[in-house]
């Protein structure tokens, strides 16, 4: 009875306190910003509001529960229990919720399953008030709840020990906990709890002899005794074994994951600066080797407290030029204010996850920065590579994430790392084309441009083997990444041109001719693999799209990137695109040919005006090739004369004799904007709209004025490439002779 | 490619001061250049490292209170351990244990040593800026747990990376050849090569021991220019040994993997373990290992 009275007093007090606190929490978020998690989440306010309401209801429900309620039959209990659980899992419970829930869970009013669920959801959003813990310990003493609930509560208490805001009153209950040692099942957990609670003075008040006498030497008792022995060696007489690895059972099982999730989520919401590009939250991976490097180190300043540094600091006090610790760097304004006194972290690898430091790195061109990063990244990539190192395959996800981070950093800095390039050259010959596929291909796109090209043996040869033997999707991915590679090189060239003209310095070790050769080599390589791929895969539109996408950059290099180089696509790409069944490919080809024309015309004009001494001239072969293609195109789209006039050796030209043999009646008109297989569908729709009543589909009606209407119709259907091509590359004769279009109109040569 | 043999002049080294390396198993690591490492601060480094080890030992292991042992850290320079004057002097890190029992008689027990060194590694050090110190080879003798602590501290403090230095079968056959050709005064121990055949459930190991004088005689017939060894000569030497073995046992050793080489000069295992046996050839072996370490970090 005595015990019970004792336990009631703090409970009443806490109850009262809880009431006020809860109401404050209900009404607004201003009461205590530190304790209230929701204070920063303005976009989620509405959602939170509704959930707060229901948590409030749930708490008042649990507060009022008087008698034993069955979970199955009671909808209200089910509902409120679910509310508590979901809020706890999502963002943790507010400090004020613990008293009510602990009290109801330990009072024995509800079934054990409910108590277990309640205890498991007692995850704090910030702290746990000590009062609520004290009152629940008093309930534990009166043993109203079942043994399993008692055990779960102790485990909860051990796990949450660090979240309890004060521990003075809890210390006062030391003796109560000690008495629980008698309980065989509770003993291991109570030992752990006592271990956490023990201070130097606690040991003295305890009847240690009794303890030694009563209990055997289980590991949890040994642990507690070793602590007592440390504090009061004179009281513990037994000898303890020298070393034991684990003394206590792991108590945190049911809560650990949730605590981490809640903490992370709350941190994310309160972070002043959201990561700009890179996520700073790296998934924690288990440490397998001490020198494992796939874990990106955290940013921290070099803290070596050396004599010399101390002297420096003294000096610095006068000059007010103390360095700014990187850990404190949180916002962009901070970076700007402290940029003159910022030091890089002790481990350069940590910049990868810190966008602010990447900004800083971009400004400071210091060789040692890049060298530190080079060594770290080179070693990490080689050591952790999942296809080069045996036994690494189980860590593929980690390695993928690492490659992803490296790629994002390269995008951020707009430049490739040489360590990454070397890694690709070393590891691509061993790559299966499957492991970390998209990451590897993305890294390929950042291989730096160098005049001394080793690309063939290092990149193209290993890549081509995989390319020809892999799926259509893989082929498209490779083409995509080579397109990015070309684009990155051209961008680099542009920036380089700018900076060179600024500084007038010849610092570059990359000559223009070297660059032109390297780029040309890449374009020829892509042309070759694309031709083969189209034949292997039987000209799928999907593949053609990626190929033409690549050539959209190639055709514009002279004007857009100021590079004196234009290379026409090989016939193996040009003709499949021209004769494609798909208007998308045809339209794309038209656009590309229009851009080739614009570029070639500009080049010719420059050559003629001789504004500059031209180191590079386009060969007459390029012009010739272009002209051949233009004949074929105009023949296919306009004059229906492709079979007669195409002069390309791999072109469409056929003898009249042969054409007669194939027994197609109107072969003469079978290729123009009306009859081209990619455009015939449009012609059909056009006829339907123009003559809704005519069901004979007489395509020959489209001529003269209607030909122009049809053209307008095609343009209106989004065939912009076709429009610019026809407008630029075809000589239109005057309106009067429209009825003779087929013979009078012609292609424009350069 | 071409290697010079091991008999490099080493008058400047005092064998007494490098004797600690002899007759112990050393695990090999490669280390990238140390950033902002300074010879003048070795005492401070020892102090910081010992504080780091103490902190790490306590972290998460509060339950081990009471069995705490005092670890003493010493960081020192070994000027005798280098190839040329352009090499950085080796750095020796030693951890000693002072158990409470032996506290009174100040008895210390050396439990772990690690040695950073660079022997004729000019081609690495020439290419890095002043802020970096090139000691690409790291030798460790002692428990992995201490290696992990010391290694982590160096990684954090000098922004360097450690990697185990495995020795490929090709390099092992180089070692076998080079060491066979060395003159050793009391040549009693056999040249032993261990080959491994990967088979289930346990790999099969083949040990091939040759009398050192026989091996030396064979090598003398292979080597064309004294003081020089070429890859071709190494291949010929090994092929002779293989065909001899095949004549007796009908096993093609060339189809197996060479995993270990032991000679009177040193013994090396493909996992990256080395034991130096002759102080005379210490520099030469370290030079080869430095070479391997540099090729791993570049």
């Amino acid at each position: 009875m005595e015990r019970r009275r004792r336990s009631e007093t703090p409970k009443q007090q806490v109850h009262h306190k809880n009431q006020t606190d809860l109401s404050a929490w209900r009404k607004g978020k201003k009461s205590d910003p530190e304790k209230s998690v929701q204070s920063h989440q303005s976009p989620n306010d509405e959602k939170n509001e509704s959930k707060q309401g229901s948590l409030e209801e749930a708490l008042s429900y649990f507060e009022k529960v008087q008698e034993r309620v069955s979970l199955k039959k009671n909808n209200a209990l089910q509902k409120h229990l679910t509310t508590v659980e979901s809020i706890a899992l999502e963002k943790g419970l507010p400090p004020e919720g613990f008293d009510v829930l602990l009290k109801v869970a330990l009072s024995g009013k509800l079934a054990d399953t409910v108590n277990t669920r309640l205890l498991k959801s007692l995850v704090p959003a910030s702290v746990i008030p000590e009062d609520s813990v004290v009152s629940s310990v008093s309930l534990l003493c009166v043993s109203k709840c079942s043994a399993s609930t008692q055990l779960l509560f102790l485990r909860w208490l051990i796990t949450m020990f660090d979240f309890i805001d004060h521990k003075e009153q809890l210390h006062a209950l030391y003796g109560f906990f000690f008495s629980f040692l008698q309980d065989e099942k509770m003993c291991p957990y109570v030992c752990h709890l006592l271990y956490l609670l023990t201070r130097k003075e606690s040991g003295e008040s305890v009847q240690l002899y009794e303890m030694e006498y009563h209990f055997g030497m289980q590991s949890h008792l040994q642990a507690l005794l070793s602590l007592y022995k440390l504090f009061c060696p004179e009281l513990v007489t037994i000898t303890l074994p020298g070393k034991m690895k684990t003394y206590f059972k792991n108590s945190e099982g049911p809560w650990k994951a949730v605590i981490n999730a809640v903490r992370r989520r709350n941190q994310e919401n309160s972070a002043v600066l959201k990561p700009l590009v890179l996520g700073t939250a790296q998934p924690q991976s288990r440490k397998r080797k001490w020198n494992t490097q796939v874990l990106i180190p955290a940013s921290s300043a070099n803290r070596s407290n050396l004599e010399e540094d101390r002297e420096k600091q003294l000096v610095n006090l006068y000059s007010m030029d103390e360095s700014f610790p990187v850990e404190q760097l949180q916002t962009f304004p901070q970076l700007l204010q402290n940029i003159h006194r910022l030091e890089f972290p002790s481990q350069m690898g940590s910049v990868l996850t810190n966008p602010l430091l990447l900004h800083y790195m971009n400004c400071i061109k210091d060789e040692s920065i890049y060298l530190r990063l080079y060594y770290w990244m080179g070693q990490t990539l080689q050591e952790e590579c999942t296809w080069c190192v045996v036994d690494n395959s189980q860590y593929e996800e980690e390695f993928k994430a690492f490659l992803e981070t490296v790629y994002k950093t390269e995008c951020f800095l707009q430049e490739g790392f040489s360590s990454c390039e070397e890694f690709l050259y070393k590891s691509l010959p061993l790559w299966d084309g499957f492991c970390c596929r998209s990451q590897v291909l993305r890294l390929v796109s950042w291989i730096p441009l160098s005049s001394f090209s080793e690309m063939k043996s290092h990149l193209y040869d290993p890549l081509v083997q995989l390319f020809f033997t892999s799926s259509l999707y893989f082929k498209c991915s490779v083409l995509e990444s080579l397109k990015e590679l070309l684009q990155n090189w051209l961008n680099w060239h542009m920036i380089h041109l700018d900076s060179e003209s600024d500084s007038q310095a010849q610092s570059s070790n990359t000559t223009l001719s070297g660059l032109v050769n390297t780029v040309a080599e890449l374009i020829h390589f892509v042309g070759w693999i694309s031709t083969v791929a189209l034949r292997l895969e039987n000209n799928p539109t999907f593949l053609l799209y990626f190929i033409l996408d690549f050539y959209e950059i190639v055709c514009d290099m002279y004007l857009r990137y100021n590079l004196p180089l234009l290379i026409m696509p090989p016939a193996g790409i040009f003709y499949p695109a021209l004769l494609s069944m798909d208007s998308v490919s045809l339209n794309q080809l038209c656009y590309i040919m229009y851009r080739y024309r614009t570029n070639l015309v500009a080049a010719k004009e420059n050559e003629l005006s001789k504004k500059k001494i031209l180191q590079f001239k386009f060969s007459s072969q390029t012009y010739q090739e272009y002209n051949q293609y233009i004949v074929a195109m105009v023949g296919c789209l306009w004059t229906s004369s492709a079979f007669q006039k195409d002069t390309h050796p791999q072109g469409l030209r056929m003898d009249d004799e042969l054409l007669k043999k194939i027994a197609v009646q109107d072969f003469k008109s079978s290729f123009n904007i009306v009859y081209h297989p990619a455009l015939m569908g449009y012609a059909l729709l056009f006829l339907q709209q123009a003559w809704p009543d005519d069901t004979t589909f007489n395509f020959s009606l489209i001529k003269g004025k209607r030909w122009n209407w049809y053209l307008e119709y095609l343009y209106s259907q989004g065939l912009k490439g076709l429009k610019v091509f026809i407008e630029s590359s075809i000589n239109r004769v005057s309106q009067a002779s429209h009825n003779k279009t087929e013979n009078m109109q012609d292609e424009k040569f350069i | 490619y071409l290697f010079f043999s091991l008999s490099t002049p080493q008058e400047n080294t005092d064998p007494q001061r490098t004797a600690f390396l002899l007759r112990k198993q050393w695990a090999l690591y490669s280390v990238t250049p140390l950033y902002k490492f300074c010879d003048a601060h070795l005492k401070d480094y020892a102090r910081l490292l010992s504080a780091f080890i103490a902190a790490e030992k306590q972290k998460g292991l509060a339950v081990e209170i009471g069995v705490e042992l005092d670890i003493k850290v010493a960081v020192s320079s070994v000027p005798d351990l280098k190839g040329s004057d352009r090499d950085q002097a080796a750095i020796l890190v030693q951890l000693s244990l002072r158990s409470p029992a032996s506290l009174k008689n100040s008895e210390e027990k050396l439990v772990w040593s690690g040695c950073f060194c660079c022997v004729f590694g000019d081609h690495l050090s020439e290419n890095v800026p002043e802020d970096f110190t090139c000691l690409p080879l790291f030798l460790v003798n002692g428990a992995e747990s201490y290696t992990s602590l010391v290694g982590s501290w160096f990684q954090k403090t000098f922004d360097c990376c450690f990697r185990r230095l495995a020795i490929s079968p090709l390099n092992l056959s180089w070692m076998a050849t080079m060491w066979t050709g060395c003159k050793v005064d009391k040549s009693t121990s056999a040249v032993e090569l261990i080959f491994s055949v990967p088979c289930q459930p346990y790999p099969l190991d083949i040990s091939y021991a040759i009398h050192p004088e026989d091996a030396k005689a064979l090598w003398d017939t292979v080597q064309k220019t004294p003081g020089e060894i070429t890859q071709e000569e190494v291949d010929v030497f090994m092929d002779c040994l293989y065909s001899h073995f095949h004549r007796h046992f009908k096993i093609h050793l060339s189809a197996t993997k060479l995993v270990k080489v032991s000679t009177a000069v040193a013994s090396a295992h493909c996992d990256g373990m080395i034991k130096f046996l002759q102080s005379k050839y210490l520099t030469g072996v370290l030079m080869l290992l430095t070479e391997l370490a540099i090729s791993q970090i570049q």
Side-chain angles (χ1 to χ4, degrees):
Chain A
M1 282 311 287
E2 177 118 346
R3 254 189 194 172
R4 185 171 299 181
R5 219 184 305 141
R6 243 180 117 141
S7 67
E8 281 299 321
T9 350
K11 209 167 73 182
Q12 293 283 333
Q13 208 181 335
V14 170
H15 184 82
H16 180 69
K17 192 170 176 245
N18 165 53
Q19 285 286 355
T20 52
D21 274 353
L22 184 62
S23 62
W25 184 70
R26 264 176 222 147
K27 274 173 199 156
K29 291 147 220 128
K30 286 176 189 172
S31 61
D32 191 347
E34 273 181 21
K35 284 188 178 177
S36 163
V37 231
Q38 292 79 14
S39 53
H40 305 292
Q41 316 165 312
S42 49
N44 294 334
D45 261 2
E46 212 171 303
K47 208 172 102 199
N48 288 338
E49 215 65 66
S50 65
K51 277 198 182 143
Q52 275 175 31
S54 55
L55 179 63
E56 189 187 322
E57 281 169 31
L59 290 178
S60 67
Y61 172 83
F62 284 117
E63 207 173 354
K64 282 173 198 150
V65 167
Q66 281 306 322
E67 56 216 278
R68 209 179 165 91
V69 189
S70 155
L71 180 64
K72 275 184 191 154
K73 289 171 195 160
N74 192 321
N75 283 336
L77 177 58
Q78 280 174 19
K79 183 188 136 201
H80 294 308
L81 188 57
T82 320
T83 307
V84 170
E85 280 177 332
S86 66
I87 290 180
L89 291 183
E90 197 193 327
K91 56 187 184 196
L93 295 174
E96 297 77 18
F98 285 90
D99 191 60
V100 179
L101 296 175
L102 276 172
K103 208 159 66 179
V104 73
L106 296 174
S107 65
K109 283 177 191 166
L110 299 171
D112 251 13
T113 48
V114 181
N115 295 337
T116 307
R117 283 173 63 181
L118 278 175
L119 280 171
K120 282 191 177 170
S121 51
L122 284 177
V123 175
S126 52
V127 292
I128 301 170
E130 186 188 20
D131 293 344
S132 64
V133 178
V134 170
S135 69
S136 54
V137 172
S138 66
L139 274 168
L140 196 71
C141 292
V142 297
S143 325
K144 275 189 171 175
C145 56
S146 71
S148 65
T149 309
Q150 283 181 331
L151 283 186
L152 190 64
F153 170 73
L154 285 175
R155 291 173 67 189
W156 176 83
L157 193 52
I158 292 162
T159 311
M160 304 298 174
F161 193 78
D162 290 340
F163 289 95
I164 301 170
D165 53 1
H166 304 285
K167 296 185 184 86
E168 291 308 313
Q169 290 186 47
L170 213 52
H171 267 288
L173 299 175
Y174 196 93
F176 284 95
F177 288 119
F178 201 83
S179 69
F180 282 128
L181 282 175
Q182 315 254 359
D183 184 313
E184 202 179 316
K185 277 189 181 147
M186 279 159 79
C187 181
Y189 298 109
V190 172
C191 274
H192 196 166
L193 192 62
L194 287 172
Y195 188 94
L196 295 171
L197 277 174
T198 300
R199 297 168 179 176
K200 203 166 161 62
E201 59 272 24
S202 310
E204 294 165 14
S205 62
V206 169
Q207 294 293 313
L208 283 163
Y209 301 109
E210 194 185 356
M211 183 175 155
E212 282 172 44
Y213 178 76
H214 275 299
F215 312 111
M217 284 302 278
Q218 290 109 320
S219 65
H220 43 268
L221 281 168
Q222 276 178 25
L224 190 56
L225 280 172
S226 70
L227 189 68
Y228 289 152
K229 191 166 182 170
L230 186 75
F231 289 147
C232 324
E234 67 284 359
L235 287 179
V236 182
T237 50
I238 54 167
T239 42
L240 295 162
K243 238 183 180 180
M244 284 215 36
K245 277 284 172 201
T246 44
Y247 286 118
F248 299 118
K249 287 186 183 173
N250 187 5
S251 300
E252 58 194 358
W255 297 280
K256 192 178 186 180
V258 185
I259 292 175
N260 288 339
V262 166
R263 185 185 295 165
R264 201 166 51 232
R265 219 169 286 141
N266 290 344
Q267 265 172 5
E268 269 167 31
N269 288 333
S270 63
V272 188
L273 176 87
K274 302 255 168 158
L276 294 173
V277 179
L278 302 163
T280 42
Q282 286 289 313
Q284 274 293 315
S285 69
R286 66 245 113 135
K287 190 167 180 167
R288 52 201 149 107
K289 287 175 287 185
W290 65 269
N291 59 337
T292 191
Q293 284 140 3
V294 77
L295 286 180
I296 296 168
S299 310
S300 64
N302 208 336
R303 294 204 182 282
S304 19
N305 199 8
L306 300 178
E307 298 294 330
E308 191 196 53
D309 289 355
R310 262 185 246 142
E311 282 165 27
K312 259 191 200 162
Q313 272 175 0
L314 276 178
V315 177
N316 286 345
L317 279 179
Y318 299 108
S319 63
M320 300 295 283
D321 199 25
E322 216 175 323
S323 72
F324 186 80
V326 275
E327 295 95 327
Q328 286 178 26
L329 186 68
Q330 296 285 322
T331 63
F332 196 73
Q334 268 182 330
L335 173 69
L336 295 181
Q337 279 162 20
N338 300 293
I339 201 155
H340 58 290
R341 56 195 191 106
L342 204 60
E343 256 180 39
F344 272 108
S346 61
Q347 284 176 284
M348 270 312 280
S350 66
V351 299
L352 250 58
T353 49
N354 192 329
L356 291 172
L357 287 178
L358 286 177
H359 277 302
Y360 182 50
M361 201 173 132
N362 243 343
C363 318
I364 311 287
K365 294 283 175 197
D366 178 359
E367 193 193 357
S368 66
I369 295 168
Y370 284 89
L371 202 59
R372 285 161 72 189
L373 207 54
Y374 166 84
Y375 283 126
W376 174 77
M377 199 181 285
Q379 298 294 297
T380 307
L381 287 167
Q382 282 181 49
E383 183 84 6
E384 307 298 327
C385 176
T386 42
W387 62 91
C388 298
V389 184
V390 197
D391 300 337
N392 263 5
S393 51
Q394 48 181 320
Y395 303 110
E396 190 179 333
E397 285 308 313
E398 287 172 33
F399 192 59
K400 257 186 196 169
F402 180 71
L403 293 181
E404 198 79 38
T405 310
V406 172
Y407 170 73
K408 284 179 182 165
T409 313
E410 291 184 320
C411 291
F412 188 96
L413 295 172
Q414 285 290 299
E415 83 185 284
F417 294 115
S418 51
S419 48
C420 211
E421 179 191 11
E422 283 166 18
F423 164 71
L424 287 171
Y425 291 164
K426 273 184 195 163
S427 64
L428 277 178
L430 304 169
W431 188 43
D432 60 359
F434 185 76
C435 182
C436 310
R437 173 191 289 174
S438 61
Q439 288 76 20
V440 172
L441 289 177
R442 283 161 125 193
L443 287 176
V444 164
S445 70
W446 278 111
I447 289 179
L449 175 65
S450 54
S451 60
F452 179 65
S453 173
E454 296 170 314
M455 302 291 277
K456 192 184 173 314
S457 57
H458 285 118
L459 178 68
Y460 300 152
D461 289 351
L463 213 51
V464 87
Q465 292 185 1
L466 291 168
F467 184 83
F468 288 148
T469 53
S470 299
S471 67
L472 175 65
Y473 178 73
F474 182 83
K475 291 187 174 81
C476 295
S477 312
V478 169
L479 288 169
E480 172 78 9
S481 92
L482 293 177
K483 184 197 86 178
E484 299 283 331
L485 178 66
L486 177 64
Q487 197 150 33
N488 288 333
W489 283 357
L490 294 171
N491 284 335
W492 179 89
H493 166 65
M494 284 294 281
I495 294 163
H496 199 74
L497 272 185
D498 281 355
S499 61
E500 201 158 75
S501 59
D502 284 349
S503 61
Q504 300 273 321
Q506 293 290 319
S507 60
S508 149
N509 53 4
T510 311
T511 61
L512 186 60
S513 67
L515 179 131
V516 167
N517 288 340
T518 312
V519 172
E521 197 190 358
L522 172 64
I523 294 168
H524 286 307
F525 173 71
V526 172
W528 172 59
I529 60 169
S530 300
T531 305
V532 180
L534 281 171
R535 292 187 61 182
L536 279 174
E537 301 284 346
N538 211 4
N539 304 331
T541 309
F542 190 58
L543 181 63
L544 206 49
Y545 173 80
F546 283 91
I547 296 169
L548 294 176
D549 216 25
F550 181 83
Y551 278 96
E552 268 190 39
I553 296 176
V554 176
C555 67
D556 236 355
M557 287 191 305
Y558 182 75
L559 285 176
R560 266 179 75 187
Y561 298 99
N562 219 342
L563 192 74
L565 180 69
L566 278 181
I567 295 171
M568 299 302 295
I573 295 169
F574 174 78
Y575 284 102
L578 178 60
L579 303 177
S580 163
M581 305 285 279
D582 200 293
S583 61
V584 175
S585 306
L586 184 67
N587 185 55
Q588 222 177 342
L589 180 71
C590 286
Y591 174 77
I592 289 168
M593 292 306 286
Y594 157 71
R595 289 307 303 173
Y596 270 119
R597 180 186 178 81
T598 318
N599 278 261
L600 287 167
V601 166
K604 197 158 211 171
E605 275 168 8
N606 269 345
E607 252 172 71
L608 291 175
S609 66
K610 287 198 176 150
K611 278 175 196 159
K612 294 181 216 166
I613 304 153
L614 289 172
Q615 192 188 352
F616 298 92
K617 266 205 250 176
F618 294 137
S619 69
S620 59
Q621 202 200 331
T622 310
Y623 292 103
Q624 194 194 337
E625 232 177 327
Y626 169 81
N627 285 335
Q628 281 178 333
Y629 282 161
I630 216 76
V631 172
M633 273 188 93
V634 174
C636 264
L637 294 173
W638 202 259
T639 59
S640 307
S641 58
F643 297 130
Q644 286 81 36
K645 293 178 74 179
D646 193 347
T647 55
H648 196 280
Q650 287 161 273
L652 298 174
R653 186 183 175 83
M654 281 187 226
D655 287 338
D656 280 348
E657 293 297 312
L658 187 69
L659 283 168
K660 273 173 199 157
K661 271 187 197 163
I662 59 171
V664 175
Q665 283 191 334
D666 300 321
F667 66 82
K668 271 212 150 182
S669 60
S670 49
F671 274 118
N672 60 35
I673 48 170
V674 178
Y675 291 101
H676 191 290
L679 299 173
M680 207 179 218
Y682 292 99
L684 202 71
L685 289 169
F686 176 73
L687 283 177
Q688 275 179 343
Q689 284 180 25
W691 297 275
D693 303 328
D694 188 356
T695 51
T696 56
F697 299 123
N698 188 0
F699 289 114
S700 58
L701 286 174
I702 306 176
K703 59 183 174 189
K705 212 182 266 175
R706 288 172 198 143
W707 179 274
N708 282 348
W709 293 347
Y710 175 58
L711 263 187
E712 290 302 326
Y713 173 76
L714 286 178
Y715 299 163
S716 75
Q717 297 301 302
L719 299 175
K720 302 284 183 239
L722 186 73
K723 181 171 193 274
V724 289
F725 174 77
I726 288 176
E727 285 173 358
S728 67
S729 308
I730 294 180
N731 275 318
R732 304 285 311 263
V733 290
S734 67
Q735 291 289 324
S737 49
H738 253 150
N739 46 354
K740 288 185 178 179
T741 40
E742 286 180 25
N743 297 324
M744 298 295 289
Q745 303 194 354
D746 218 340
E747 61 279 336
K748 287 188 198 166
F749 291 120
I750 299 175
Chain B
Y1 55 91
L2 196 106
F3 264 77
F4 288 94
S5 87
L6 294 170
S7 45
T8 45
Q10 27 192 314
E11 294 95 38
N12 55 342
T13 55
D14 176 3
Q16 288 294 312
R17 303 177 73 168
T18 52
F20 70 92
L21 284 168
L22 296 174
R23 285 173 290 280
K24 272 185 208 158
Q25 280 286 357
W26 295 93
L28 302 170
Y29 287 85
S30 67
V31 192
T32 60
L34 310 176
Y35 179 65
K36 296 246 161 122
F37 176 88
C38 180
D39 261 347
H41 292 148
L42 296 186
K43 281 223 171 93
D44 295 304
Y45 293 153
R47 188 165 52 80
L48 290 168
L49 179 55
S50 105
F52 176 80
I53 292 173
E56 286 293 309
K57 287 240 122 184
Q58 269 165 25
K59 191 199 279 181
L61 288 170
V63 288
E64 278 195 49
I65 290 173
V67 287
E68 204 173 8
L69 293 164
D70 200 4
I71 289 174
K72 194 193 154 197
V73 179
V75 181
S76 55
S77 172
V78 191
D80 292 285
L81 197 61
K82 60 179 179 180
S84 70
D85 287 341
R86 280 168 295 175
D87 286 331
Q88 172 78 25
I91 300 295
L92 178 64
V93 181
Q94 288 175 311
L95 306 187
S96 318
L97 220 53
R98 272 187 305 207
S99 57
S102 59
L103 202 62
K104 282 156 205 161
N105 43 24
S106 72
E107 199 176 286
E108 284 169 12
K109 193 184 157 213
L110 182 65
V111 288
W112 184 93
S113 336
C115 182
F116 293 87
C117 63
C118 179
V119 177
F120 295 108
D122 323 3
H123 53 294
L124 174 67
S125 45
E126 271 168 10
N127 296 321
V128 296
E130 269 185 14
D131 279 342
F132 294 87
T133 304
C134 293
L135 290 165
L137 181 64
F138 183 48
L139 304 150
V140 172
N141 174 263
E144 169 98 2
S145 58
Y146 290 120
T147 313
S148 136
L149 288 173
V150 176
S152 308
W153 185 79
F154 271 85
Q155 273 180 351
K156 284 201 176 86
T157 315
F158 304 110
D159 205 1
C160 55
C161 296
F162 291 78
R163 272 178 81 196
R164 262 322 275 269
L165 183 62
I167 307 173
S168 69
L170 179 76
N171 286 317
L172 280 178
S173 56
W174 263 94
M175 289 171 179
T177 314
M178 291 165 90
W179 299 343
T180 298
C182 291
K183 279 194 193 112
V184 178
D185 302 334
K186 289 174 285 171
S187 158
T188 46
S189 51
V191 174
E192 191 189 11
L193 307 175
I194 294 177
F195 297 87
S196 174
V197 184
C199 63
Q200 293 297 330
Y202 303 106
L204 174 71
D205 281 350
I206 300 170
S207 167
Y208 184 1
I210 308 129
H211 194 280
E213 278 165 26
D214 295 345
K216 176 86 167 66
L218 173 63
W219 170 243
D220 288 341
T221 65
V222 172
Q223 192 176 31
K224 289 178 191 121
T225 321
E228 268 179 37
I229 303 176
T230 64
Q231 178 65 54
E232 200 193 349
E233 289 167 349
V234 173
D235 292 342
V236 171
F237 177 71
M238 294 305 282
D239 283 344
C240 288
L241 294 179
Y242 293 165
S243 59
H244 179 73
F245 194 84
H246 182 254
R247 203 175 307 136
H248 289 281
F249 302 103
K250 298 285 175 280
I251 292 172
H252 288 288
L253 286 177
S254 54
T256 65
K257 187 188 171 201
L258 179 58
V259 291
K260 195 183 173 188
V261 169
S262 321
T263 68
V265 171
S267 76
H269 192 279
C270 66
D271 288 345
M273 297 297 292
I274 195 113
K275 192 189 242 178
F276 307 97
L277 298 168
Q278 285 285 325
S279 106
K280 188 178 160 193
Y281 294 112
L282 186 63
T283 315
V285 177
L286 283 171
M287 177 180 142
L288 178 59
L289 294 174
T290 305
E291 185 76 37
L292 297 181
I294 290 175
S295 74
Q296 180 161 292
I297 60 178
Q298 271 182 331

